[in-house]
Amino acid sequence: MTEQESNIIKTQDENGEIHSFELIDIINVDNQDYGLLIYVNEDAPAAKEDDDEEELVIMKLNQEDGQYTFEMIEDDDEFNKVIEALEEEAEEEEE
């Protein structure tokens, strides 16, 4: 298994459909981990560098009984906190 394959996360939506994401980073905000994921369309041919921007998805990362699960962030305030933390981190990296 390559390193890229090991970062592929499969999730099931409320309609029972399976979606694949690549885990690109984990950020911790207020002692809660959030996964930064990019949607992977496994049916499409390999992406070209000049394609449209990739779709970034942020999901809450939970650990229960040694298993990790991802869930959507339902609370707008919580989502906004994570976005602010990401923006601050990006600004720090630019300096």
Side-chain angles (χ1 to χ4, degrees):
M1 178 181 298
T2 68
E3 185 171 325
Q4 184 175 5
E5 289 172 341
S6 67
N7 290 333
I8 300 297
I9 309 296
K10 294 188 184 283
T11 63
Q12 184 172 0
D13 67 16
E14 60 273 359
N15 298 323
E17 295 182 34
I18 303 295
H19 301 277
S20 297
F21 296 91
E22 180 182 354
L23 178 64
I24 57 170
D25 200 3
I26 295 174
I27 184 172
N28 186 287
V29 179
D30 294 338
N31 295 318
Q32 172 64 55
D33 287 333
Y34 297 89
L36 306 180
L37 306 148
I38 294 177
Y39 181 73
V40 176
N41 185 351
E42 295 179 332
D43 298 328
K48 298 177 185 170
E49 287 184 27
D50 61 345
D51 282 352
D52 293 336
E53 289 186 28
E54 298 170 308
E55 181 180 346
L56 179 66
V57 177
I58 303 169
M59 298 182 92
K60 187 185 294 190
L61 178 60
N62 295 315
Q63 182 178 9
E64 188 173 312
D65 299 328
Q67 300 274 337
Y68 288 96
T69 59
F70 289 88
E71 66 181 68
M72 296 302 294
I73 302 170
E74 303 290 337
D75 182 85
D76 288 341
D77 291 334
E78 179 181 8
F79 183 79
N80 290 332
K81 269 187 171 179
V82 175
I83 294 298
E84 285 178 23
L86 286 171
E87 289 172 348
E88 288 173 11
E89 186 175 289
E91 288 174 10
E92 289 174 6
E93 288 179 5
E94 289 177 3
E95 294 177 358

